[in-house]
Amino acid sequence: MKWTSILSGITLFLTIVIHSQTIENKEVLQPFFLQLQKNQVNQIIFLGDSHIQADWLTAFLRGKIQEKYGNAGRGLVFPYSVANSNGPDDFTSATNQTWENFRLVYEQDVFPQMGASGFVIGNQIESFLEIKFKNPEETFDKVLIFNDEKMNGEKFQLYKESQTLSNFVSKSSERIKYTVSSGETFPELASKFYTTTTKLVQLNGVGIKNPLEGNSYQIDKISFNYNPDFENSIEKVVDYQFSGNETLVELPAPQNIFLMKTNAKNGNIFYGFQFLKNVNKGVVFNTVGVNGATYADFLKYSLQLEQLKSLHPKLIVISLGTNESLSSISKEEFQNTISDLVFSFRKEEKELPILLISPTDNALKPHKIKEIVSWIKESALQNKVAFFNLYEATGGAGYFKKSMKKKEANADGVHFLKSGYELQAEKIWKALSENFK
């Protein structure tokens, strides 16, 4: 009896472990796996929060799936450095002017819409914008520009360069005292002076997060020093006009650097750039990671959903929940936002394959995160979408502290280091790979 009990316990344990590393409701994804076998380009959209914005987890997955099914382009990116934010390691971005900039989690009234990437930059001056891929073999033949519709018909130019724009640009900072006007928000103050919210708090304390009309605050106003000699090192490739809110540019030869000059009379406003190869078969793996994002944030802007759906994705992956775990959100409210987001993506395509991935353990709210995971799992079943329990696959409760000891996690109690995210990506890839056979 004793050995029988032990064997039963082992069997149960192994069953739980194996189950935690497989995709639940995986039949929902079968149409996607079938599409991969066809002679066509397939688009994937991967939505997430700060775990995704840096692209460490998704870069691993992008590399694996493109190695197996072909590289049809780097996909959707945003000039994060221009927007004073962090971003992926595989490209840089630069400009010669300041831009107002926000991400979709911010309270702001400057831009009425936010598009594909969940970020926006905008200004009203002739500007160069550069996105440069570090790997010289990461080339593109086409660029889909997600611009604001009021730029429709305005001209812009693309160039080749022999020297990078950043060599001709430097920033200067002037500390000023600014008196807040009625209705101005914390993120709007940072955007207005091209500084960061972190710097504002450093200078003024946390009270500036709720600025009061008439109060004065210290602000480091950032400006650019631009050397126009840069324009002696560039050669025009093509003249184009913006079209609607999505402008497709086809290049005469593959490029590794995107350099655009724009001066639209109603303002230059951009929501993202998708880089594509001129191929007949392969995968475009698009990431939309936004620091601080929740399921509800991706329901804020109709233009974002419109632009993402225009890519005709064959698979939507959603990896959110960490930020909800740090809040007091109720089960009903949380699950309603999941259902609403799933419905929004499936409005025109009822059987669109969707995969929800749970967050992992964190050290700040370990009990709430476990609860969030159970709510996502339940929602996946209710909404007929697939589910991967990354929380259980990585070991469940205590995983974050173990990762810290292994130097795979950050001391902030929430984020991981690159090695930690790549280990998580391996779990996801292994579960997906079971369906490729």
Side-chain angles (χ1 to χ4, degrees), residues 415-437:
H415 298 99
F416 295 84
L417 303 179
K418 185 176 183 179
S419 58
Y421 283 119
E422 289 181 341
L423 285 171
Q424 294 168 26
E426 284 182 12
K427 301 283 188 184
I428 298 169
W429 177 248
K430 184 178 179 182
L432 284 170
S433 297
E434 292 296 316
N435 299 277
F436 295 152
K437 297 174 181 177

mmCIF file of all heavy atoms in Angstrom, residues 415-437:
data_model
loop_
_atom_site.group_PDB
_atom_site.id
_atom_site.type_symbol
_atom_site.label_atom_id
_atom_site.label_comp_id
_atom_site.label_asym_id
_atom_site.label_seq_id
_atom_site.Cartn_x
_atom_site.Cartn_y
_atom_site.Cartn_z
ATOM 1 N N HIS A 415 10.539 42.305 -12.721
ATOM 2 C CA HIS A 415 11.154 42.065 -14.028
ATOM 3 C C HIS A 415 12.318 41.077 -13.949
ATOM 4 O O HIS A 415 12.955 40.928 -12.903
ATOM 5 C CB HIS A 415 11.628 43.384 -14.646
ATOM 6 C CG HIS A 415 10.510 44.339 -14.897
ATOM 7 N ND1 HIS A 415 10.205 45.380 -14.036
ATOM 8 C CD2 HIS A 415 9.599 44.400 -15.891
ATOM 9 C CE1 HIS A 415 9.160 46.044 -14.498
ATOM 10 N NE2 HIS A 415 8.760 45.464 -15.620
ATOM 11 N N PHE A 416 12.578 40.471 -15.095
ATOM 12 C CA PHE A 416 13.669 39.507 -15.196
ATOM 13 C C PHE A 416 14.796 40.090 -16.034
ATOM 14 O O PHE A 416 14.630 41.114 -16.711
ATOM 15 C CB PHE A 416 13.155 38.202 -15.819
ATOM 16 C CG PHE A 416 12.146 37.500 -14.961
ATOM 17 C CD1 PHE A 416 10.803 37.861 -15.004
ATOM 18 C CD2 PHE A 416 12.528 36.496 -14.082
ATOM 19 C CE1 PHE A 416 9.866 37.236 -14.199
ATOM 20 C CE2 PHE A 416 11.603 35.865 -13.270
ATOM 21 C CZ PHE A 416 10.269 36.234 -13.323
ATOM 22 N N LEU A 417 15.942 39.457 -15.974
ATOM 23 C CA LEU A 417 17.046 39.815 -16.847
ATOM 24 C C LEU A 417 16.906 39.043 -18.156
ATOM 25 O O LEU A 417 16.052 38.160 -18.287
ATOM 26 C CB LEU A 417 18.378 39.511 -16.158
ATOM 27 C CG LEU A 417 18.588 40.213 -14.807
ATOM 28 C CD1 LEU A 417 19.934 39.827 -14.207
ATOM 29 C CD2 LEU A 417 18.490 41.728 -14.955
ATOM 30 N N LYS A 418 17.743 39.367 -19.116
ATOM 31 C CA LYS A 418 17.615 38.747 -20.431
ATOM 32 C C LYS A 418 17.634 37.224 -20.352
ATOM 33 O O LYS A 418 16.830 36.545 -20.998
ATOM 34 C CB LYS A 418 18.736 39.242 -21.351
ATOM 35 C CG LYS A 418 18.611 38.743 -22.777
ATOM 36 C CD LYS A 418 19.685 39.344 -23.678
ATOM 37 C CE LYS A 418 19.510 38.887 -25.117
ATOM 38 N NZ LYS A 418 20.538 39.475 -26.020
ATOM 39 N N SER A 419 18.536 36.681 -19.542
ATOM 40 C CA SER A 419 18.641 35.219 -19.425
ATOM 41 C C SER A 419 17.357 34.622 -18.867
ATOM 42 O O SER A 419 16.930 33.534 -19.276
ATOM 43 C CB SER A 419 19.823 34.850 -18.532
ATOM 44 O OG SER A 419 19.684 35.435 -17.239
ATOM 45 N N GLY A 420 16.709 35.336 -17.934
ATOM 46 C CA GLY A 420 15.454 34.858 -17.366
ATOM 47 C C GLY A 420 14.334 34.844 -18.389
ATOM 48 O O GLY A 420 13.552 33.878 -18.475
ATOM 49 N N TYR A 421 14.250 35.905 -19.190
ATOM 50 C CA TYR A 421 13.205 35.953 -20.226
ATOM 51 C C TYR A 421 13.435 34.898 -21.305
ATOM 52 O O TYR A 421 12.487 34.320 -21.832
ATOM 53 C CB TYR A 421 13.156 37.348 -20.857
ATOM 54 C CG TYR A 421 12.475 38.372 -19.984
ATOM 55 C CD1 TYR A 421 13.151 39.502 -19.529
ATOM 56 C CD2 TYR A 421 11.145 38.215 -19.594
ATOM 57 C CE1 TYR A 421 12.522 40.443 -18.721
ATOM 58 C CE2 TYR A 421 10.509 39.146 -18.783
ATOM 59 C CZ TYR A 421 11.203 40.266 -18.350
ATOM 60 O OH TYR A 421 10.583 41.188 -17.546
ATOM 61 N N GLU A 422 14.687 34.630 -21.615
ATOM 62 C CA GLU A 422 14.965 33.611 -22.639
ATOM 63 C C GLU A 422 14.599 32.212 -22.151
ATOM 64 O O GLU A 422 14.137 31.378 -22.936
ATOM 65 C CB GLU A 422 16.430 33.694 -23.067
ATOM 66 C CG GLU A 422 16.705 34.946 -23.899
ATOM 67 C CD GLU A 422 18.145 35.057 -24.360
ATOM 68 O OE1 GLU A 422 19.021 34.382 -23.763
ATOM 69 O OE2 GLU A 422 18.404 35.826 -25.309
ATOM 70 N N LEU A 423 14.767 31.969 -20.851
ATOM 71 C CA LEU A 423 14.344 30.676 -20.299
ATOM 72 C C LEU A 423 12.821 30.534 -20.372
ATOM 73 O O LEU A 423 12.296 29.448 -20.660
ATOM 74 C CB LEU A 423 14.826 30.538 -18.850
ATOM 75 C CG LEU A 423 16.322 30.256 -18.660
ATOM 76 C CD1 LEU A 423 16.707 30.366 -17.198
ATOM 77 C CD2 LEU A 423 16.675 28.873 -19.192
ATOM 78 N N GLN A 424 12.115 31.626 -20.128
ATOM 79 C CA GLN A 424 10.650 31.603 -20.253
ATOM 80 C C GLN A 424 10.246 31.371 -21.709
ATOM 81 O O GLN A 424 9.307 30.617 -21.997
ATOM 82 C CB GLN A 424 10.064 32.917 -19.742
ATOM 83 C CG GLN A 424 10.251 33.128 -18.248
ATOM 84 C CD GLN A 424 9.935 34.539 -17.814
ATOM 85 O OE1 GLN A 424 9.149 35.236 -18.453
ATOM 86 N NE2 GLN A 424 10.546 34.980 -16.727
ATOM 87 N N ALA A 425 10.961 32.011 -22.622
ATOM 88 C CA ALA A 425 10.672 31.850 -24.047
ATOM 89 C C ALA A 425 10.882 30.403 -24.485
ATOM 90 O O ALA A 425 10.131 29.884 -25.323
ATOM 91 C CB ALA A 425 11.564 32.777 -24.870
ATOM 92 N N GLU A 426 11.871 29.748 -23.910
ATOM 93 C CA GLU A 426 12.115 28.339 -24.226
ATOM 94 C C GLU A 426 10.913 27.478 -23.833
ATOM 95 O O GLU A 426 10.543 26.546 -24.559
ATOM 96 C CB GLU A 426 13.372 27.845 -23.507
ATOM 97 C CG GLU A 426 14.673 28.316 -24.134
ATOM 98 C CD GLU A 426 15.895 27.763 -23.426
ATOM 99 O OE1 GLU A 426 15.735 26.838 -22.591
ATOM 100 O OE2 GLU A 426 17.000 28.239 -23.696
ATOM 101 N N LYS A 427 10.307 27.797 -22.698
ATOM 102 C CA LYS A 427 9.109 27.059 -22.252
ATOM 103 C C LYS A 427 7.967 27.243 -23.254
ATOM 104 O O LYS A 427 7.270 26.284 -23.608
ATOM 105 C CB LYS A 427 8.663 27.547 -20.876
ATOM 106 C CG LYS A 427 9.693 27.411 -19.764
ATOM 107 C CD LYS A 427 9.797 25.991 -19.260
ATOM 108 C CE LYS A 427 10.679 25.930 -18.027
ATOM 109 N NZ LYS A 427 10.890 24.525 -17.565
ATOM 110 N N ILE A 428 7.782 28.486 -23.686
ATOM 111 C CA ILE A 428 6.710 28.781 -24.641
ATOM 112 C C ILE A 428 6.987 28.089 -25.975
ATOM 113 O O ILE A 428 6.093 27.481 -26.573
ATOM 114 C CB ILE A 428 6.568 30.309 -24.838
ATOM 115 C CG1 ILE A 428 6.187 30.982 -23.511
ATOM 116 C CG2 ILE A 428 5.522 30.626 -25.911
ATOM 117 C CD1 ILE A 428 6.287 32.498 -23.536
ATOM 118 N N TRP A 429 8.230 28.176 -26.427
ATOM 119 C CA TRP A 429 8.587 27.570 -27.713
ATOM 120 C C TRP A 429 8.412 26.051 -27.688
ATOM 121 O O TRP A 429 7.917 25.461 -28.650
ATOM 122 C CB TRP A 429 10.015 27.939 -28.090
ATOM 123 C CG TRP A 429 10.468 27.285 -29.367
ATOM 124 C CD1 TRP A 429 11.412 26.320 -29.527
ATOM 125 C CD2 TRP A 429 9.950 27.537 -30.675
ATOM 126 N NE1 TRP A 429 11.533 25.958 -30.830
ATOM 127 C CE2 TRP A 429 10.638 26.698 -31.567
ATOM 128 C CE3 TRP A 429 8.968 28.397 -31.184
ATOM 129 C CZ2 TRP A 429 10.378 26.679 -32.939
ATOM 130 C CZ3 TRP A 429 8.717 28.387 -32.537
ATOM 131 C CH2 TRP A 429 9.405 27.541 -33.401
ATOM 132 N N LYS A 430 8.793 25.453 -26.594
ATOM 133 C CA LYS A 430 8.647 23.998 -26.473
ATOM 134 C C LYS A 430 7.179 23.598 -26.576
ATOM 135 O O LYS A 430 6.827 22.620 -27.253
ATOM 136 C CB LYS A 430 9.232 23.510 -25.151
ATOM 137 C CG LYS A 430 9.207 21.987 -24.988
ATOM 138 C CD LYS A 430 9.856 21.561 -23.684
ATOM 139 C CE LYS A 430 9.802 20.041 -23.519
ATOM 140 N NZ LYS A 430 10.384 19.598 -22.227
ATOM 141 N N ALA A 431 6.312 24.361 -25.907
ATOM 142 C CA ALA A 431 4.880 24.065 -25.948
ATOM 143 C C ALA A 431 4.319 24.272 -27.352
ATOM 144 O O ALA A 431 3.514 23.460 -27.825
ATOM 145 C CB ALA A 431 4.137 24.949 -24.947
ATOM 146 N N LEU A 432 4.739 25.326 -28.028
ATOM 147 C CA LEU A 432 4.280 25.575 -29.396
ATOM 148 C C LEU A 432 4.795 24.503 -30.348
ATOM 149 O O LEU A 432 4.087 24.041 -31.240
ATOM 150 C CB LEU A 432 4.741 26.957 -29.869
ATOM 151 C CG LEU A 432 3.987 28.177 -29.335
ATOM 152 C CD1 LEU A 432 4.726 29.457 -29.710
ATOM 153 C CD2 LEU A 432 2.569 28.228 -29.873
ATOM 154 N N SER A 433 6.065 24.122 -30.162
ATOM 155 C CA SER A 433 6.712 23.171 -31.073
ATOM 156 C C SER A 433 6.013 21.828 -31.115
ATOM 157 O O SER A 433 6.069 21.118 -32.132
ATOM 158 C CB SER A 433 8.181 22.972 -30.659
ATOM 159 O OG SER A 433 8.896 24.165 -30.761
ATOM 160 N N GLU A 434 5.359 21.459 -30.008
ATOM 161 C CA GLU A 434 4.646 20.197 -29.992
ATOM 162 C C GLU A 434 3.571 20.136 -31.068
ATOM 163 O O GLU A 434 3.180 19.066 -31.513
ATOM 164 C CB GLU A 434 3.983 19.989 -28.603
ATOM 165 C CG GLU A 434 4.962 19.771 -27.468
ATOM 166 C CD GLU A 434 5.764 18.478 -27.649
ATOM 167 O OE1 GLU A 434 5.150 17.454 -28.003
ATOM 168 O OE2 GLU A 434 6.995 18.517 -27.442
ATOM 169 N N ASN A 435 3.114 21.293 -31.510
ATOM 170 C CA ASN A 435 2.048 21.358 -32.505
ATOM 171 C C ASN A 435 2.568 21.499 -33.926
ATOM 172 O O ASN A 435 1.790 21.473 -34.880
ATOM 173 C CB ASN A 435 1.122 22.528 -32.186
ATOM 174 C CG ASN A 435 0.462 22.375 -30.831
ATOM 175 O OD1 ASN A 435 -0.536 21.708 -30.693
ATOM 176 N ND2 ASN A 435 1.056 22.992 -29.814
ATOM 177 N N PHE A 436 3.897 21.677 -34.074
ATOM 178 C CA PHE A 436 4.481 21.823 -35.400
ATOM 179 C C PHE A 436 4.781 20.478 -36.048
ATOM 180 O O PHE A 436 5.106 20.407 -37.227
ATOM 181 C CB PHE A 436 5.782 22.630 -35.335
ATOM 182 C CG PHE A 436 5.573 24.057 -34.903
ATOM 183 C CD1 PHE A 436 6.585 24.742 -34.241
ATOM 184 C CD2 PHE A 436 4.403 24.728 -35.160
ATOM 185 C CE1 PHE A 436 6.410 26.060 -33.839
ATOM 186 C CE2 PHE A 436 4.205 26.031 -34.769
ATOM 187 C CZ PHE A 436 5.226 26.705 -34.105
ATOM 188 N N LYS A 437 4.715 19.411 -35.261
ATOM 189 C CA LYS A 437 5.123 18.097 -35.750
ATOM 190 C C LYS A 437 4.105 17.522 -36.725
ATOM 191 O O LYS A 437 2.923 17.786 -36.616
ATOM 192 C CB LYS A 437 5.319 17.144 -34.575
ATOM 193 C CG LYS A 437 6.453 17.598 -33.646
ATOM 194 C CD LYS A 437 6.548 16.745 -32.408
ATOM 195 C CE LYS A 437 7.661 17.231 -31.492
ATOM 196 N NZ LYS A 437 7.738 16.459 -30.241
#
